[in-house]
Amino acid sequence: EAGERYISVHATRAFDEGEEALVSYHGKAPPSLYSNFLAYGYVAAKCTYPPLFPWDAKGSETEELQALLEKWEGHAKALEEAPLLKEEDGDMRDDTARRKAIAKALIRHEATMSEGEAAALKKALASRA
């Protein structure tokens, strides 16, 4: 084999036999959407959204904010139309079905992130009007 592979898990307290033990991947803060997916291969139900298209409400020109709003809205629309979201998951024991389900969750999260960014940009633009 390529070498010994293992993980080490340390409990924060003593557990009774048969008691459920849960693993926290990132401590108290919600994991980042992409870091969690890339590091562990799944998409958490609650996660933070990294800025795909960073912007500054105070430092950006109105035209820049408007262009970013169009970019986020276009991104959200493309995600809504993703063919993968229209497919059935199938048997979750099948690796292909599992991967599709993960990808669907990732797309749904990204759509939520897009909607949030678009709403924040609209608010920033409205405050300038």
Side-chain angles (χ1 to χ4, degrees):
E1 294 287 339
E4 205 173 299
R5 296 178 186 170
Y6 63 91
I7 59 171
S8 179
V9 178
H10 300 273
T12 56
R13 64 177 178 82
F15 286 86
D16 292 330
E17 185 176 331
E19 183 181 356
E20 181 180 33
L22 304 175
V23 176
S24 173
Y25 290 92
H26 291 282
K28 294 179 182 178
S32 164
L33 176 61
Y34 299 116
S35 66
N36 203 63
F37 176 67
L38 294 173
Y40 304 111
Y42 74 92
V43 180
K46 293 182 181 178
C47 57
T48 60
Y49 300 123
L52 289 179
F53 315 124
W55 57 280
D56 176 10
K58 294 179 182 174
S60 299
E61 296 294 324
T62 301
E63 295 80 21
E64 290 176 83
L65 294 179
Q66 187 62 46
L68 276 169
L69 175 58
E70 290 170 16
K71 194 171 190 176
W72 275 111
E73 288 177 333
H75 189 65
K77 185 172 173 55
L79 291 169
E80 285 174 16
E81 296 170 1
L84 183 62
L85 292 180
K86 296 177 175 117
E87 294 179 16
E88 294 295 320
D89 287 336
D91 184 356
M92 289 303 291
R93 293 170 295 182
D94 173 44
D95 192 54
T96 303
R98 185 181 62 78
R99 288 173 185 255
K100 282 184 176 182
I102 290 169
K104 278 184 184 183
L106 193 61
I107 290 170
R108 286 187 186 113
H109 273 298
E110 203 164 306
T112 300
M113 174 178 53
S114 299
E115 291 165 5
E117 287 292 320
L121 280 159
K122 286 177 184 177
K123 185 177 178 179
L125 285 164
S127 71
R128 294 179 179 204

